Amino acid sequence: MAGFLACLLAVGAPVAVSGTAHAQPAPGAVMSEAPLDSRLSLPGAASARALSYTTQWRSGETATATGVVFVPGGEPPAGGRPVVAWAHGTTGLADDCAPSRNPRSERDTAYLEHWLDQGYAVVAADYPGLGSDGLHRYLDGQSAANSIVDLVRAARAVEPSLSERWVVVGQSQGGHAALHTANTATDRAPDLDFRGTLTTGAPSNLELVFPIGFPEFPDLPLDGLTAFGAFIFAGLREADPGLDLDGYLTGLGREVVDAAESLCYDEMLARYTGVGIGDLLARPLGDDRFPAALSDYLGVPVNGYDRPLFLAQGLDDRVLPAPLSVKLVADLWAGGAQPRFATYPTGHSETMAASLPDTTPFVAELFAG
């Protein structure tokens, strides 16, 4: 009996022990599954299933997350279909903003169709709190990474044609999540065969920008800055209640950050056009407490990577400017990684398609290795 219990514990199976409550399901345990509404699917998907599954917040606390598994048509290759784990860009914090509850944008549809056309299955996590219990903690990279890794596990449990081989591909917010995924994937899921990471327009070094923006936050020519800032502040407030984030905000600032918890990205843009980040702030962000909290929350790891990285960046990106990514790449090299870095004469969204002639063979090489 002792040996039997040891085997169960070794694979993370829940075990009932006399006199105690049942253990929590292991990360990646499927809680529910159902066919995805065809209006929310991808044209090239032969099947699409919506899942809820267990994962963890960065703190280790159990969470439930949601996501979708898209499978292309045709017979799977020997060894199963390689898996592209898609990490989506900013949609908002509220449950109604979850990608699995909405039709994909034309941009994302075309991009994900491309990967299906390569014969890969695509699994798409919503991230914890986005379509599930709790408030989504925007740019909490480790929580998002946990949900991405655990969705690959959950997807393989419901779709036996999926291989153990997988990569993570992320745009914008999803690029941030993908870098955190790359930093933790082999440790979190040694039962899988993680091959590498591709990002486009990944946020980095934002923790160096926000604390310098008071009292007159510079009028930076960046798209959506107030909406993105409000999402960051709302997520940080949820993740670190002891920070007293409201104490840094004006009355308008509290209104905007509160609205960020319920409005999706396009609604935030429409409602708060003309409101600048400086209008949200009541006192400096550069005190001893705020920079450390923001760095812990937003920071991208710069060492500890054990699989190939490809970072694609638009030189005309007016959401996440190229100099931030140039610093990240330098820091990654200094930390022992050797990322491939390519720039394109494109904006934030356009870099996804523009980079495909380079990134498609990169992903194919990852799966072939």
Side-chain angles (χ1 to χ4, degrees):
M1 174 63 77
F4 173 69
L5 288 173
C7 289
L8 288 176
L9 290 170
V11 299
V15 179
V17 180
S18 178
T20 65
H22 289 284
Q24 291 287 344
V30 177
M31 308 303 289
S32 67
E33 62 166 313
L36 184 69
D37 186 322
S38 61
R39 295 169 295 180
L40 307 181
S41 189
L42 298 172
S47 70
R49 302 192 69 78
L51 307 182
S52 66
Y53 59 98
T54 57
T55 187
Q56 292 171 310
W57 297 105
R58 176 173 52 169
S59 64
E61 182 182 358
T62 298
T64 300
T66 54
V68 179
V69 183
F70 299 108
V71 179
E75 289 296 316
R81 298 187 190 280
V83 177
V84 167
W86 166 241
H88 67 81
T90 303
T91 59
L93 310 188
D95 288 346
D96 288 344
C97 311
S100 68
R101 298 189 180 191
N102 295 279
R104 306 276 163 172
S105 67
E106 290 184 12
R107 180 199 73 177
D108 288 2
T109 296
Y111 193 69
L112 298 182
E113 283 280 302
H114 173 79
W115 298 115
L116 287 175
D117 287 345
Q118 306 306 303
Y120 309 141
V122 173
V123 303
D126 288 329
Y127 313 143
L130 190 52
S132 52
D133 293 343
L135 181 70
H136 173 50
R137 300 171 187 178
Y138 180 71
L139 291 182
D140 174 1
Q142 189 56 59
S143 295
N146 290 345
S147 72
I148 292 167
V149 175
D150 295 338
L151 178 58
V152 177
R153 283 177 165 147
R156 296 189 69 243
V158 301
E159 179 51 62
S161 72
L162 302 191
S163 167
E164 295 177 351
R165 295 171 294 151
W166 70 288
V167 301
V168 61
V169 175
Q171 155 69 8
S172 193
Q173 179 191 1
H176 184 271
L179 289 168
H180 281 268
T181 301
N183 196 252
T184 195
T186 55
D187 287 338
R188 184 168 183 83
D191 50 309
L192 300 175
D193 183 6
F194 177 63
R195 295 299 182 92
T197 301
L198 162 62
T199 72
T200 57
S204 64
N205 295 300
L206 298 179
E207 67 276 13
L208 304 179
V209 176
F210 277 92
I212 66 174
F214 186 90
E216 297 294 337
F217 199 95
D219 186 18
L220 300 173
L222 300 178
D223 298 337
L225 182 60
T226 297
F228 292 125
F231 289 145
I232 290 170
F233 290 155
L236 179 58
R237 182 171 65 180
E238 177 72 11
D240 188 356
L243 179 62
D244 184 27
L245 187 132
D246 284 356
Y248 292 89
L249 303 176
T250 62
L252 175 61
R254 289 189 291 275
E255 174 194 327
V256 174
V257 173
D258 288 347
E261 295 189 4
S262 59
L263 299 181
C264 297
Y265 176 68
D266 288 343
E267 298 170 302
M268 284 291 291
L269 285 183
R271 180 174 297 188
Y272 294 107
T273 297
V275 176
I277 286 285
D279 298 325
L280 310 185
L281 303 177
R283 63 188 180 95
L285 301 180
D287 64 19
D288 291 340
R289 179 76 172 90
F290 193 91
L294 193 67
S295 180
D296 179 65
Y297 180 73
L298 288 179
V300 173
V302 294
N303 50 47
Y305 294 91
D306 58 4
R307 297 293 186 272
L309 301 170
F310 190 124
L311 281 65
Q313 175 67 46
L315 293 176
D316 194 32
D317 192 328
R318 296 169 65 89
V319 175
L320 295 157
L324 298 177
S325 291
V326 171
K327 181 183 185 321
L328 172 63
V329 170
D331 291 340
L332 289 169
W333 274 90
Q338 297 180 346
R340 292 177 60 177
F341 181 56
T343 60
Y344 303 87
T346 53
H348 189 61
S349 290
E350 295 79 10
T351 303
M352 294 169 64
S355 62
L356 283 174
D358 299 320
T359 58
T360 302
F362 171 76
V363 170
E365 289 167 10
L366 295 179
F367 283 130

